[in-house]
Amino acid sequence: MPQDLPISKTAQAVQPFHVMKILGEAKALQAQGKDIIHLEIGEPDFASLNCVHEAVNQAMQAGLTHYTPTLGLAELRQKLSDFYQRFYQASVPPAEIMLTPGSSSGLQLLLTALLNPGDKVLLTDPSYPCNRQFVKLLHGQVVSVPVDASTTHQLTTDLLKTHWQTGIKLVMVASPANPTGSVIEQSELVKMAQFLSEQNAYLLVDEIYQGLVYDRPAESILANQNLGENVLVINSFSKFFGMTGWRLGWLVAPLHLMPVLDRLGQNLFLAAPTLAQYGALRVLEPDALALLEQRRQAFQIRRATLINAMHRAGWTINQPQGAFYIYWDVSNLTEDAEQLAMDILWNAGVAVTPGKDFGDYKAKQHLRLAYTTEPARLEEAVNRIVTYLSTR
Ligand SMILES: Cc1ncc(COP(=O)(O)O)c(C=O)c1O
């Protein structure tokens, strides 16, 4: 690499995903002919639905390959509004919905719209790692709230009040969450939103795993009455809808923010991918949603399979209510979860994600397991880990 050509300090400060190291090693082992069970990847193993492919093909044949408006196709914004009404009894006008290239872009847009350099964003440790990096890119400051199993690794209003500081503009939560799969009760979310409204701060709720819940109905904060103008939501076609590679998400924001979000979108990406938007129009049809419900049930079976196998192995696991993750406390097995992840990969052929990817707090005590593979493979993964641990 040339010595004198500059890379910005901001870019240098952005952290890598440690799981990529595991993924790289896993791929190398596979190339040598080793059978690797992948529990590290945070995306459904199912491909996107055939009906989506057909709809996108038709759109392509019809030449619908141009930019859409920056806020997204009007039909899709309407359809998402109908979706909120039908499934969540939530009244969300299309004018408050914007399509984005993945929810990743929605997160960046909202943060860009709200933060000045030095502004603070409160989030939990552990939580989805990219959020911290987005804040850094905008020269904001992260206020990290350590959370553990006593609050199912989620923020509570009490914790929020305890950790409150002047300068916090925004609080970010996810329900269900990555890496824990835990859910925040709606009553708690509403209390947080109210407290933040009194502080003139925003609450951003990441609902990207909405629909992937197992012992309870899927929910949205938007279904609550009398919410203030300070509630923001991001969502995505990636997880429940199984369309990670199509790079399409959406955000819901109060009307007063839409012009600035539109202006930022015009500059940052012009519009979300057009063909993905036609695919999304199709995936919101009842027959497609019925197929996705079957997939949700498949995840539920996988969750039960993995948890039962882990219980049989004698490991203590709390059952997460959503997403497709288990955040496994391995403190009785190691003081260094990242090393354990490597050892498990090399000796048991099972790839998992070290807690380090999600923050610092008790990160060395945790591994994230994604049940994004067949039940038989999940059982085999646990058996292989048990065998390895017994021979250490
Ligand atoms: C909690 C959470 N939010 C946002 C994202 C971003 O997803 P996408 O950009 O595919 O919508 C992810 C991806 O794994 C996630 O886990």
Side-chain angles (χ1 to χ4, degrees):
M1 189 144 92
Q3 293 277 305
D4 303 332
L5 294 174
I7 293 175
S8 74
K9 288 201 180 93
T10 315
Q12 283 173 31
V14 169
Q15 299 290 313
F17 259 141
H18 300 285
V19 69
M20 296 319 280
K21 191 169 147 206
I22 301 271
L23 191 62
E25 301 251 352
K27 292 253 159 80
L29 288 169
Q30 260 172 328
Q32 293 166 22
K34 296 247 163 58
D35 174 38
I36 305 294
I37 304 178
H38 290 278
L39 305 187
E40 82 282 35
I41 299 175
E43 66 173 333
D45 52 339
F46 304 112
S48 45
L49 295 176
N50 281 334
C51 61
V52 169
H53 305 166
E54 284 158 14
V56 169
N57 245 325
Q58 278 171 20
M60 230 159 36
Q61 299 306 326
L64 299 173
T65 55
H66 301 280
Y67 294 133
T68 69
T70 300
L71 295 175
L73 283 175
E75 311 92 282
L76 184 52
R77 295 169 74 202
Q78 180 63 55
K79 205 153 193 166
L80 282 168
S81 169
D82 299 343
F83 176 77
Y84 276 114
Q85 190 62 57
R86 175 150 168 239
F87 290 98
Y88 300 101
Q89 292 74 53
S91 172
V92 183
E96 296 183 4
I97 299 173
M98 175 178 190
L99 277 304
T100 54
S103 67
S104 301
S105 299
L107 288 163
Q108 289 171 70
L109 270 191
L110 287 169
L111 291 171
T112 308
L114 301 179
L115 295 188
N116 287 316
D119 283 345
K120 295 176 187 166
V121 176
L122 183 143
L123 40 77
T124 59
D125 179 353
S127 62
Y128 180 58
C130 300
N131 292 339
R132 281 181 215 110
Q133 312 308 323
F134 297 152
V135 175
K136 265 192 216 166
L137 281 174
L138 293 163
H139 305 285
Q141 291 179 50
V142 170
V143 176
S144 230
V145 177
V147 286
D148 59 21
S150 67
T151 64
T152 67
H153 293 96
Q154 284 284 15
L155 191 65
T156 62
T157 315
D158 286 346
L159 280 171
L160 180 56
K161 289 182 178 168
T162 309
H163 290 266
W164 190 254
Q165 304 177 8
T166 45
I168 297 177
K169 277 272 180 72
L170 173 73
V171 170
M172 301 176 83
V173 293
S175 181
N178 178 7
T180 58
S182 66
V183 168
I184 312 182
E185 295 305 330
Q186 289 299 316
S187 54
E188 198 62 32
L189 280 174
V190 170
K191 270 200 267 173
M192 286 185 210
Q194 277 162 355
F195 170 74
L196 291 172
S197 170
E198 288 155 19
Q199 314 297 326
N200 285 327
Y202 284 92
L203 176 66
L204 194 165
V205 186
D206 179 334
E207 296 189 343
I208 180 174
Y209 293 98
Q210 183 185 51
L212 289 173
V213 283
Y214 305 110
D215 313 304
R216 52 188 296 147
E219 291 168 319
S220 171
I221 187 167
L222 300 168
N224 294 289
Q225 305 292 319
N226 306 322
L227 286 178
E229 293 282 288
N230 67 329
V231 173
L232 312 165
V233 166
I234 61 114
N235 208 323
S236 177
F237 288 95
S238 286
K239 310 287 175 166
F240 175 77
F241 298 95
M243 292 173 64
T244 44
W246 294 88
R247 306 311 303 130
L248 189 65
W250 73 91
L251 61 81
V252 180
L255 269 186
H256 71 267
L257 284 179
M258 295 314 280
V260 67
L261 292 168
D262 193 2
R263 188 152 41 82
L264 289 171
Q266 288 160 16
N267 283 280
L268 293 176
F269 49 78
L270 297 180
T274 302
L275 289 171
Q277 294 189 55
Y278 283 103
L281 274 173
R282 183 66 185 86
V283 88
L284 290 168
E285 291 291 327
D287 60 333
L289 293 172
L291 292 172
L292 295 175
E293 166 58 17
Q294 287 171 17
R295 292 181 169 187
R296 187 196 66 82
Q297 289 170 14
F299 277 121
Q300 183 157 6
I301 291 168
R302 292 164 173 200
R303 181 186 65 152
T305 306
L306 181 57
I307 287 178
N308 289 341
M310 293 178 85
H311 282 163
R312 279 199 302 278
W315 304 330
T316 317
I317 296 292
N318 293 325
Q319 176 154 279
Q321 295 178 301
F324 31 61
Y325 304 118
I326 287 177
Y327 201 50
W328 179 24
D329 182 345
V330 287
S331 53
N332 56 339
L333 301 174
T334 184
E335 288 180 354
D336 183 353
E338 196 177 14
Q339 185 57 50
L340 183 63
M342 274 298 170
D343 293 344
I344 288 176
L345 175 63
W346 278 84
N347 299 290
V350 180
V352 296
T353 306
K356 195 176 165 187
D357 262 342
F358 308 99
D360 296 322
Y361 184 61
K362 296 190 178 176
K364 289 188 165 183
Q365 300 181 11
H366 287 89
L367 295 175
R368 187 193 74 178
L369 276 50
Y371 42 95
T372 46
T373 189
E374 294 292 333
R377 294 286 278 171
L378 294 170
E379 279 185 340
E380 190 183 335
V382 173
N383 290 341
R384 286 193 198 177
I385 297 173
V386 168
T387 306
Y388 161 64
L389 292 175
S390 67
T391 55
R392 274 200 304 181

